[in-house]
Amino acid sequence: MVIRSERLTLRSWRESDRAEFAALNSAPEVMQDLAGPLDRAGSDAKFDRYVTAFENYGFCRWALEDPDGQFLGYAGVMPSRPHHPLGLHADIGWRLKRAAWGRGYATEAASASLRDVFARVQLKEVLAYTSADNLRSLAVIGRLNMQRAATLDYSEPLGTGTWHGLVWIARPENG
């Protein structure tokens, strides 16, 4: 499966992506919003969840490539994990290598992914959540034209603390 945007390719995962995916997930600056870096086992488990999501649901977080085929990170829609505080839903997320920040790639890839799940999969809504201090993700959510859903805000344990999620909703008619 491949989705193309103006500058990016969003594609299915390949076994050969594991090492670059692990490097992305082990970068402290990239992972600072989620209790820090993942070890290789944690990264591999996340990789496997993304592959399985596509096999089971037809959508996932996609591997991102630039026009030269360089791995940039990921973006896409996933089914929620079991026992999520918000119940069953689909959520959009992205993570890019530090060198790819500030170029509009997250917004471009997320927008392409939303168009895909609304058109091809026929989802009716997709949530996004982030913490109040994740200014980069808040900016992407704003550029995606998502609608604030403060009544869905939630908190949950993360690492040794508590993570507070602010929630937004995307619907096909708002794209």
Side-chain angles (χ1 to χ4, degrees):
M1 172 78 189
V2 172
I3 302 167
R4 298 203 191 278
S5 66
E6 183 179 334
R7 301 174 296 163
L8 302 171
T9 299
L10 292 76
R11 62 164 175 78
S12 298
W13 293 96
R14 302 176 188 137
E15 198 58 32
S16 60
D17 293 325
R18 278 188 191 270
E20 285 192 277
F21 187 73
L24 173 73
N25 290 319
S26 69
E29 190 174 17
V30 172
M31 296 296 293
Q32 71 185 22
D33 65 316
L34 291 172
L38 291 178
D39 63 15
R40 182 60 188 252
S43 180
D44 282 348
K46 183 180 286 278
F47 182 97
D48 293 339
R49 280 194 309 275
Y50 293 177
V51 170
T52 300
F54 182 74
E55 291 169 355
N56 292 340
Y57 301 98
F59 60 96
C60 65
R61 305 264 201 264
W62 306 104
L64 296 182
E65 291 180 346
D66 69 10
D68 297 324
Q70 296 298 309
F71 178 82
L72 299 175
Y74 67 77
V77 177
M78 283 285 289
S80 60
R81 63 176 158 47
H83 312 294
H84 190 282
L86 297 177
L88 295 176
H89 63 277
D91 70 86
I92 190 157
W94 45 85
R95 179 165 298 141
L96 282 83
K97 294 164 63 171
R98 177 62 184 96
W101 291 5
R103 299 180 183 188
Y105 292 149
T107 303
E108 184 176 329
S111 181
S113 182
L114 285 171
R115 284 191 305 273
D116 173 67
V117 295
F118 290 145
R120 183 178 58 83
V121 185
Q122 300 290 302
L123 291 184
K124 300 300 180 211
E125 70 177 30
V126 173
L127 302 183
Y129 27 84
T130 193
S131 59
D133 62 349
N134 189 337
L135 301 181
R136 292 181 177 280
S137 283
L138 289 169
V140 172
I141 290 167
R143 288 189 293 271
L144 292 172
N145 226 7
M146 298 183 80
Q147 306 304 304
R148 184 75 168 93
T151 60
L152 297 177
D153 290 355
Y154 67 99
S155 297
E156 66 178 326
L158 180 65
T160 59
T162 300
W163 187 82
H164 304 284
L166 308 179
V167 181
W168 285 260
I169 299 176
R171 293 188 175 96
E173 62 271 14
N174 300 123

